[in-house]
Amino acid sequence: MKPGEHGRIAERSSGGRFFATTYVRDADGKRRRVERSSNKSIEDARRLLQRHLAHRRTPLSGQAITERTTLAEIFELWIEAKAAEDGISQQTADQYRAVWEKHGLQQLGALTVTELPTSRANAHLKLMGATTQATRLRMVLRGMFTLAVGFDVVGVNPIREAKVTKTSSISPRAATADEFHQVRAAVRAYAERQGSGPQPGRLLLPFVDLLVATGGRPNEVLALRWSDVDLSSDPPTVTITGTLIDHGRIAGMPLHRQDLRKGGAPEHTVVLPQFGVDALLTLKEDGAAADGPVFANRLGGWMSLTNMRRALRAALPDSLAWITPHSFRRTVATVVRDAHGPALAQQQLSHAKLDTTEKHYLQRQTRGPDVRETLEAFVGET
């Protein structure tokens, strides 16, 4: 027999039960006896055996994942492999673990790897609704079962056809020049208001200006150090080299700077317009350590995006409540696109793919170009 083939099916009865037996040569070359029984008839026992043979897989032993391995155990193997092979950050690993522990461990963790069909996975994901957590859990489960497929425990990945509830896409919105002037005026008024105690808006105006001057992500701008700034060069520049990781984003870690950009992207140098230079000169007047944070809190440490976001919300009127720190990145992308085309917008934002810039950062153009001359010429030729 070749691997996967079986011999003649033998039949017998004993004590009122009926048995069908054969020998199978498994994928490992070994010959094994396989039997199924029924209390109805010989024919029923034969049918049960044939159904079993159609889906039977070689028994596994001595490897990390077998048919008896639970999903809880596979998750631990997968997250370890993910960190070792793909080099994911601790922050990303913690996000995967958090979604598994909240939405997967208690609900699915006790099942073995062969006990989660597509239908059940699909129902569980749909029950979570149109959420980022559902999308992330699907990604985790798909990775876990890809690992199981690699061990020949299951033949296909059951998560491949499982779907999450789709969210309605929201078109990127950029601020107009007039809206941006309103933002700056509101932020300036908030920072200059009189009162006792700390002034939470002290850094808000230069923060807004640097977001627009660079097009950087908010946590990348807050992670700038004075050693990343070169105001003496012609033209003046800043180089984005890292990002801030907020409190609790990595288990047990406080607010800290990560010396890598999002996704491990390379350093990104941007040329500063004059208002960006002015914002940095204003910050430098407060006195700054040579390699300290550009946006330093009152103790000289890093300034949390949570605090800056809270201050911006407090500063803006209701008509501008839709604006968040990330809105300025979309605004920069749209302004550069309108003046110089999408390729330079992508370059300013340092995206690896133009599709990312167009899909998530560029406000859609709703006015067609002036092509009257071209169309008139076409009609005139007929």
Side-chain angles (χ1 to χ4, degrees):
M1 293 185 295
K2 293 181 179 180
E5 294 182 337
H6 65 84
R8 182 179 66 86
I9 295 178
E11 301 157 349
R12 64 184 177 85
S13 61
S14 176
R17 289 192 68 81
F18 303 94
F19 299 86
T21 307
T22 190
Y23 282 88
V24 178
R25 188 170 183 229
D26 282 318
D28 59 2
K30 294 182 180 180
R31 183 170 170 267
R32 293 182 174 89
R33 181 174 178 270
V34 183
E35 182 179 88
R36 286 295 180 272
S37 65
S38 170
N39 57 6
K40 296 180 180 178
S41 65
I42 285 290
E43 290 76 12
D44 191 51
R46 173 185 283 271
R47 280 193 296 270
L48 291 174
L49 178 60
Q50 289 172 331
R51 290 172 187 166
H52 172 71
L53 292 173
H55 302 285
R56 183 177 183 276
R57 304 184 67 83
T58 301
L60 300 170
S61 60
Q63 64 178 37
I65 299 177
T66 70
E67 292 181 347
R68 295 184 177 182
T69 306
T70 65
L71 296 184
E73 294 168 333
I74 293 179
F75 174 81
E76 297 299 333
L77 295 170
W78 173 76
I79 197 68
E80 182 178 339
K82 191 77 173 169
E85 296 171 11
D86 295 349
I88 61 172
S89 66
Q90 185 61 49
Q91 179 185 358
T92 301
D94 286 345
Q95 289 174 348
Y96 292 156
R97 185 173 293 281
V99 73
W100 170 250
E101 291 179 350
K102 184 174 182 179
H103 299 286
L105 181 60
Q106 297 300 320
Q107 300 87 340
L108 307 172
L111 297 174
T112 66
V113 68
T114 60
E115 293 176 336
L116 183 65
T118 298
S119 59
R120 181 166 183 179
N122 191 68
H124 182 66
L125 292 170
K126 292 285 188 184
L127 193 62
M128 292 176 65
T131 62
T132 302
Q133 297 293 294
T135 302
R136 187 171 293 163
L137 179 63
R138 182 184 182 275
M139 191 280 296
V140 169
L141 288 170
R142 183 164 182 168
M144 289 163 57
F145 276 93
T146 296
L147 187 63
V149 170
F151 278 94
D152 292 324
V153 179
V154 290
V156 295
N157 191 326
I159 311 302
R160 187 175 60 190
E161 302 303 327
K163 306 296 182 184
V164 298
T165 302
K166 288 188 176 181
T167 58
S168 55
S169 59
I170 301 176
S171 298
R173 181 178 179 182
T176 64
D178 183 59
E179 287 172 330
F180 179 63
H181 291 316
Q182 293 178 48
V183 168
R184 293 186 87 244
V187 166
R188 183 180 289 108
Y190 180 73
E192 293 175 352
R193 75 197 191 288
Q194 300 298 317
S196 59
Q199 298 291 317
R202 179 177 59 91
L203 301 176
L204 193 54
L205 184 57
F207 177 56
V208 168
D209 282 351
L210 260 295
L211 286 174
V212 177
T214 62
R217 298 179 179 89
N219 265 325
E220 290 179 337
V221 172
L222 289 175
L224 287 173
R225 303 163 300 188
W226 286 110
S227 58
D228 301 321
V229 177
D230 189 355
L231 298 182
S232 61
S233 65
D234 186 16
T237 63
V238 295
T239 301
I240 298 173
T241 61
T243 188
L244 287 192
I245 308 299
D246 218 333
H247 307 272
R249 295 298 296 271
I250 297 178
M253 290 287 288
L255 172 69
H256 65 284
R257 187 183 194 275
Q258 175 181 281
D259 295 331
L260 288 172
R261 295 181 61 221
K262 182 179 179 180
E267 295 180 356
H268 179 55
T269 299
V270 294
V271 177
L272 288 173
Q274 187 57 47
F275 69 87
V277 173
D278 294 342
L280 287 166
L281 290 175
T282 299
L283 290 168
K284 211 169 183 64
E285 290 176 359
D286 293 340
D291 198 33
V294 169
F295 292 94
N297 62 26
R298 295 186 181 280
L299 299 178
W302 300 107
M303 175 63 71
S304 167
L305 178 58
T306 300
N307 291 338
M308 299 298 279
R309 190 184 289 118
R310 185 185 302 117
L312 183 62
R313 281 199 305 267
L316 295 180
D318 291 344
S319 60
L320 296 173
W322 61 272
I323 291 179
T324 68
H326 211 77
S327 300
F328 299 109
R329 184 165 165 84
R330 301 186 188 98
T331 298
V332 171
T334 300
V335 169
V336 174
R337 186 274 311 275
D338 291 348
H340 304 285
L344 280 187
Q346 174 197 3
Q347 188 176 339
Q348 179 71 24
L349 268 58
S350 185
H351 284 145
K353 297 179 180 179
L354 179 58
D355 179 65
T356 303
T357 312
E358 292 180 328
K359 184 176 181 181
H360 300 290
Y361 290 90
L362 295 179
Q363 180 169 296
R364 184 174 178 177
Q365 292 175 319
T366 56
R367 181 184 176 90
D370 187 350
V371 293
R372 291 174 293 176
E373 186 175 331
T374 301
L375 297 178
E376 291 284 1
F378 169 73
V379 173
E381 293 175 359
T382 60

